[in-house]
Amino acid sequence: MLTEKHTVIVTTPEELLPLLMEAIRAVEEERKTDDVGSQGKRLLSPKDVEYEFGIHRKMLAEWRAEGIGPAYTTFGRRILYERAVVENYIISKRIKTSGYSGI
């Protein structure tokens, strides 16, 4: 026997459309604030590193297993990268090319 009460709302598509648009805008705003918030973080999970720097989590795991890549910290089972360390690691791999000087 069900003891829960359910409410059924009947509406027209014209009344529903503005509600849906408002919900979509709210989700988009939340995503924007999440993006800004993660960029302010000092410690990044492998997922954060992948999202912000484009280095896939599997690649980070391979580098850890091989003892290469940016330095990381473990906290319990969590793996964390310092933002500055990842940025410096990327900069250290920069390859200087000579510019084309002839015509």
Side-chain angles (χ1 to χ4, degrees):
M1 178 165 115
L2 292 174
T3 59
E4 296 179 33
K5 292 187 178 188
H6 298 278
T7 303
V8 177
I9 299 173
V10 179
T11 184
T12 64
E14 292 80 19
E15 294 172 328
L16 187 59
L17 185 60
L19 297 173
L20 291 172
M21 295 304 292
E22 183 180 335
I24 290 169
R25 278 191 214 101
V27 168
E28 288 174 350
E29 286 299 316
E30 186 176 317
R31 283 186 184 161
K32 287 179 186 176
T33 57
D34 285 349
D35 291 347
V36 171
S38 67
Q39 290 180 1
K41 285 197 232 177
R42 183 172 167 224
L43 295 176
L44 305 171
S45 69
K47 184 178 180 179
D48 294 333
V49 173
E50 179 179 9
Y51 179 76
E52 290 190 35
F53 297 101
I55 304 170
H56 199 280
R57 287 176 276 182
K58 288 183 180 180
M59 179 62 70
L60 292 169
E62 288 176 20
W63 286 348
R64 287 191 306 271
E66 295 175 18
I68 59 176
Y72 63 94
T73 302
T74 57
F75 186 75
R77 290 183 166 197
R78 293 191 61 179
I79 296 167
L80 299 169
Y81 292 89
E82 289 183 58
R83 175 183 302 284
V85 171
V86 175
E87 290 171 348
N88 289 336
Y89 180 78
I90 292 169
I91 290 169
S92 74
K93 299 301 177 190
R94 182 179 294 158
I95 298 170
K96 183 175 176 167
T97 59
S98 60
Y100 181 74
S101 60
I103 291 182

